[in-house]
Amino acid sequence: MQEDEQELRDQIKDLIRAKKYDELESVWLQIAEDSARSLNFHESVIRYLHNRKELERLAELYTVLINLRLDQGNTTQALAVSNLILEVEPTAEFLRPLLIRTLKAIYADRDEARVAELLRLSGLDGETPNLQQALSRAEDLFGASRGQVFRHTQWGLGVVQEFDARDGIAIINFQRKPNHRMTMEGLKNFLRRVPSEHIQARIATAPEEARAEAFENPAATVRHALKGFGGKMAAADLKRLFIGDLMTEADYKRWWSKAKDEIRTDPYLDLKGMGANAQLILRSEPRSFVDEILEGFLRAKNTIERRKVLRDVARHGDNADMTPEDIDRLFLLFKKPLDDGAIKTDYEKFGHGILFEEYAHLFRDDVKNPIDIEFYLTHPELKPGDLIISLGIFELQRIALQHVVTLREAEIEEIFTEVFFGADPKLVEWMEKTLEARGRQGVLDHCMERVLAHPERNIDLFTWAGRKVIEGKLPHVEESFHPLAICQSASTLLSDAEEDVRASGAVDSRKASAPGAVIAARMRTILQDGHGKLLKIALRKADVEQARRFLAHIKMLSGLSNQLRSMIEELILLEHPTLRKRTTHEEKAEAESTKIHYALMDSVERKRKELSHILSVEIPENTVAIGTAREHGDLRENAEYHAAKDRQKILMQRAADLEDLIARARIIELENVKTDQVRFGTRVTLDRLDEQAQETVTIMGMWEANADLGILSYMTPFGSQLLGRKLNEQFEVTLPDGRRVEYKVVRIEKADAPVHQA
């Protein structure tokens, strides 16, 4: 390795001396792709380039290398190489964006706004010329951020509760010294930083979650612990680590009993020795493939888990290197849960038999299926449809249905119909083709009609069947269900799902994990995919009256976002222009509503919190109020009920407006504002020439505007007339009362962030 690197160094030096830069670029790309190159190699290259004053070449070569390391996720080497460069050239400006990208990747789990703030305070994301000092300060600031864990020799583990980055003061909650104030110097000199991925950091910051994870997956917890202690530790040390902060001694005894069994079957763990002297070792490589899959099958508790093991074997194929003895062991393990009585019910036995059918090629040819599939599919007291649905996996269900076609040919329509409502679209398509090949097409049409009428029975089937009907691929079903009726059902489901997601406290259903989010995602594929391709087809097949009713329906759905509602309404009006009845004022308002607007990050965050509060607190409270008022009797004269419903409309509209404004907001950083002309983020001093008086105004956005503080929105008539004015420029402004007044710009400077924003 050293000889190889020496040859490369000599080759690079020769190319630079000969100014063969194209050839150098080709060689360097190969070097950059090889992350195994040592830091000594890079240090030598960097110093050579620096000594020859080849700083431009240094920037070109190492910009490529560091970006490639970051693309590979190798932030450690990216940072190490950057530090080597800063040692010889502390002001290497080309490193600034690379260092920012590196730190953002390292601290990707932190709040983005907080990361941006710390980068700014460090001087890295600014104009500080000495990048080495800026990087050092950035690492100190990130290391002392809230939630960071430290260890003190006497006070034990401590978690940063608060951190004032400007003054460099942290409040740390130690085990034996709570809420202790420390300076940055104190942190450096007396504490040892515990990495966030270390098991001790997890125990200190989230003990309850760590405890739950330990009992849920003991082997993973042991692997986590070993990674932080060099891959090896005594069982007695693990016990000392866990007892007290994580669990009681009695809990540990119960946990260790379970953990030992998992450790012995975990491919990455070894347990050597007995009792307190036992050693836990983290393997750098797992056990052999054969040992791993056989042990995995032994641990498997159901058909799905056993199928994963067999699928891994099949995927590796010849590379599995399985001997005949290994294959025999696999079959014995396949039979073991049957022999041990672990598989008891008819459904479990049937699933095990179908699993054998899928992977029979992994066993010897003379080995028979230990389960009689025909017995289960023809037994008078068992429903084949229920057995097949219980399999839950398309491939297994298809194999079972193939047996049905062979064993019960005369009853396949009935059995396929039983399976239909528990099937996924892929299985339904297979059933369609199978029936069509036997001249029985159309058998499943009535099932699709029922799914379209009751989408909640199987939302995936509704989505699939709905798309096929709209595309004209199911003409018989289209006779009963007009494509626009499907779009109407989809819009209703989407609206209801969005409201459910918001009521759960989530702001955006596309980032939520609630059931409503799944429904919302499926319905968007009908309404939005391909810029509303399916919706356009449905509208073309509709007459004007059908389109008018659909337009009225869309306007009534409170859960749709303004953006989606506008898109659907526009598509309706494009396909049926006779429905377009808008005033000039409405057209102007619509055009204005699509514009972006500018704001400070703090303002956007406040509006996000306001939206979150409306969705997670005010709307749920209003829903409860509606339900309570409804119980009071006759709704026609129930003032409380009507007041609550009116409040619901106001809240829904406010939430929709905020959602729209937040989506259209563009962030302005005051630090980056230029003062060559009047723009957002500048403070402007004006001479009013008719009164020989001066006025000072700060130009910001609608969310920062505050007349008492002299902050004016750039969107106001006066503010918009100031934009673009330059120093010493004399101009005329029209005031709200119609008077025209002359002003002169006498000073333009960066504005300070408002202390209080309205």
Side-chain angles (χ1 to χ4, degrees), residues 168 222 225 320 360 466 472 627 752:
V222 172
D752 297 323

Short mmCIF file of all heavy atoms in Angstrom, two decimals, residues 168 222 225 320 360 466 472 627 752:
data_model
loop_
_atom_site.label_atom_id
_atom_site.label_comp_id
_atom_site.label_asym_id
_atom_site.label_seq_id
_atom_site.Cartn_x
_atom_site.Cartn_y
_atom_site.Cartn_z
N GLY A 168 -21.28 31.56 25.09
CA GLY A 168 -20.50 30.35 25.32
C GLY A 168 -20.74 29.73 26.68
O GLY A 168 -19.82 29.23 27.32
N VAL A 222 -27.01 -4.95 22.42
CA VAL A 222 -25.64 -5.38 22.73
C VAL A 222 -24.69 -4.93 21.63
O VAL A 222 -23.58 -4.45 21.91
CB VAL A 222 -25.58 -6.91 22.91
CG1 VAL A 222 -24.14 -7.39 23.05
CG2 VAL A 222 -26.39 -7.33 24.14
N ALA A 225 -24.00 -1.32 22.14
CA ALA A 225 -23.07 -1.09 23.26
C ALA A 225 -21.64 -1.42 22.86
O ALA A 225 -20.70 -0.66 23.15
CB ALA A 225 -23.50 -1.93 24.46
N ALA A 320 -24.49 -19.45 -2.77
CA ALA A 320 -24.75 -19.85 -1.39
C ALA A 320 -23.75 -20.92 -0.92
O ALA A 320 -23.51 -21.07 0.27
CB ALA A 320 -26.17 -20.39 -1.25
N ALA A 360 -39.73 -25.18 -3.46
CA ALA A 360 -39.42 -26.61 -3.55
C ALA A 360 -38.09 -26.86 -4.26
O ALA A 360 -37.40 -27.86 -3.99
CB ALA A 360 -40.55 -27.34 -4.29
N GLY A 466 -60.37 2.08 -10.10
CA GLY A 466 -60.77 3.42 -10.53
C GLY A 466 -59.95 3.90 -11.70
O GLY A 466 -60.47 4.46 -12.67
N GLY A 472 -60.74 3.59 -19.50
CA GLY A 472 -61.57 2.89 -20.46
C GLY A 472 -61.25 1.42 -20.63
O GLY A 472 -61.64 0.80 -21.62
N GLY A 627 -69.65 18.27 18.51
CA GLY A 627 -70.29 17.06 19.02
C GLY A 627 -71.10 17.31 20.27
O GLY A 627 -72.22 16.79 20.43
N ASP A 752 -31.84 45.34 11.20
CA ASP A 752 -31.72 44.37 12.28
C ASP A 752 -32.98 43.52 12.32
O ASP A 752 -34.06 43.95 11.91
CB ASP A 752 -31.55 45.09 13.63
CG ASP A 752 -30.27 45.90 13.67
OD1 ASP A 752 -29.27 45.43 13.11
OD2 ASP A 752 -30.28 47.00 14.26
#
